[in-house]
Amino acid sequence: MKLFATVIVASFVLAACSTTTTDEPAELVLLTHDSFALSEGTLDAFTVETGIKVTVLEGGDGGSLVTQAVLSKDNPTGDVLYGVDNTLLTRALDLFVPYESPALSNVDPSLVTDARVTPIDFGDVCLNYEKSAFSEVAPPAGLDDLLQPAYANMLVVENPATSSPGLAFLLATIVEYGEDGWQDYWTDLLANGTVIAPDWETAYYTNFTGGGGTGSPIVVSYASSPPAGVIFAEEPTDEALTATVTNGCFRQVEYAGILKDSEAARKLVDFMLSKDFQEDIPLNMFVFPARTDAALPTEFVDYTEIPSNPLTMDPETIDANRDRWIDEWTQIAAP
């Protein structure tokens, strides 16, 4: 009888193991934004290591990505979502299954915010300027300087209602000047000839003189934009034509979260924190890896600087006020 019972128990254990194995997906869908890029073969290494294939499904820009994920909450279109940043994070947190990767021990602790998401990279939205435009006038040192007559008609910013860096810059001004002061700052900033572009591409390539555009030698962009200018220069160069103002920058952190819980999905999150994946990020997506021990490309070391004290705001405060701030900004920009 005892032997029979043992056989029965063993059968249940084997059946349970078999079911778990069968339920584990052999293929994962990584839902991400349309700026996602990796070197060829990076995700293949994950497949070789685990036997799990990864299909990348792009969902537009960061805002569209989150909106689509929320709308498909009951039937997720992906297993793992990567690319939600701290300005939109609270809209998406309820979508994710808590998971704490063992690789988090290698991540900058200041980037860790909630057990439902894993920080993968970060970038700083900063003022950028074309160096040759400031041979007679010093480049601005921070947000205050932009109100001075010397910088009239020099700045182009992105609309915070339609642009992620535009929203980050608006948040930077709210952190810097507070609830009682940011509206006045923007009133004065626009009165000083600031141009508003609908998105980053238009601001950088159409309006910013350092990006090949016309009219504005100062733009709201990223701390990683100067090395990108060197890497993609039409003629090889060892000098960046643009530079970053490290005061008044706002830090954006991008996270990954599990939409459909499985061991395979957890392995993918772990892989995204591997050194190989992390060190592949800068030259493909021009943001900085979350791991503190990931080596940076030479271009990132030589041509940019990570702001020592970037401005930040907790996601709950952003979520509670984002729509109101954008509405108030819109009234100032288009009275």
Side-chain angles (χ1 to χ4, degrees):
M1 185 65 183
K2 183 177 180 181
L3 175 61
F4 177 74
T6 303
V7 171
I8 293 295
V9 170
S11 298
F12 275 115
V13 170
L14 288 173
C17 290
S18 175
T19 299
T20 300
T21 301
T22 302
D23 289 347
E24 279 299 308
E27 180 175 350
L28 294 172
V29 175
L30 177 61
L31 186 62
T32 185
H33 50 57
D34 53 14
S35 296
F36 179 80
L38 294 171
S39 299
E40 186 176 352
T42 300
L43 287 176
D44 293 339
F46 174 75
T47 302
V48 169
E49 178 182 319
T50 64
I52 302 165
K53 181 181 177 182
V54 179
T55 298
V56 175
L57 179 61
E58 295 180 354
D61 61 17
S64 298
L65 172 68
V66 171
T67 298
Q68 291 179 41
V70 171
L71 292 175
S72 60
K73 177 181 179 180
D74 295 331
N75 187 24
T77 54
D79 296 276
V80 174
L81 184 149
Y82 159 71
V84 58
D85 69 41
N86 51 322
T87 66
L88 297 171
L89 182 60
T90 53
R91 287 183 179 176
L93 270 179
D94 289 342
L95 303 176
F96 302 125
V97 178
Y99 174 60
E100 185 172 337
S101 172
L104 272 176
S105 60
N106 300 304
V107 169
D108 180 347
S110 69
L111 305 180
V112 180
T113 185
D114 191 289
R116 288 168 288 186
V117 288
T118 302
I120 303 299
D121 59 69
F122 69 92
D124 293 302
V125 174
C126 302
L127 296 170
N128 279 215
Y129 61 92
E130 182 187 21
K131 292 194 287 188
S132 64
F134 293 92
S135 57
E136 297 181 359
V137 177
L143 301 180
D144 282 351
D145 284 352
L146 298 175
L147 304 184
Q148 300 303 313
Y151 303 102
N153 305 312
M154 285 191 174
L155 173 66
V156 56
V157 303
E158 299 85 0
N159 187 332
T162 56
S163 163
S164 177
L167 176 58
F169 184 67
L170 172 61
L171 296 176
T173 62
I174 293 170
V175 174
E176 188 77 5
Y177 299 103
E179 277 281 9
D180 297 332
W182 73 267
Q183 294 97 334
D184 290 340
Y185 177 82
W186 272 95
T187 298
D188 294 341
L189 188 67
L190 295 173
N192 208 29
T194 295
V195 173
I196 301 170
D199 51 51
W200 179 86
E201 284 79 9
T202 302
Y204 201 89
Y205 295 116
T206 301
N207 299 97
F208 180 45
T209 54
T214 57
S216 303
I218 310 173
V219 65
V220 172
S221 191
Y222 296 90
S224 54
S225 296
V230 173
I231 293 168
F232 296 114
E234 292 184 2
E235 300 292 335
T237 179
D238 58 1
E239 181 181 1
L241 301 179
T242 64
T244 297
V245 180
T246 55
N247 291 321
C249 299
F250 189 87
R251 176 150 295 177
Q252 289 181 314
V253 184
E254 285 193 310
Y255 301 91
I258 296 175
L259 297 168
K260 296 179 185 177
D261 193 19
S262 68
E263 187 62 26
R266 298 178 184 193
K267 288 179 179 177
L268 181 56
V269 172
D270 293 344
F271 179 75
M272 296 175 78
L273 284 183
S274 67
K275 282 193 74 174
D276 287 345
F277 188 98
Q278 289 279 294
E279 291 179 353
D280 196 53
I281 286 175
L283 290 182
N284 285 287
M285 292 189 275
F286 288 90
V287 288
F288 292 86
R291 277 184 73 131
T292 56
D293 60 347
L296 290 174
T298 302
E299 294 87 345
F300 273 62
V301 176
D302 291 346
Y303 302 116
T304 193
E305 181 180 354
I306 299 177
S308 57
N309 294 297
L311 303 173
T312 61
M313 184 183 294
D314 68 83
E316 288 76 17
T317 301
I318 296 173
D319 186 59
N321 297 283
R322 182 194 309 106
D323 293 343
R324 174 177 63 84
W325 285 334
I326 290 175
D327 287 345
E328 292 174 357
W329 178 90
T330 301
Q331 291 176 25
I332 296 169

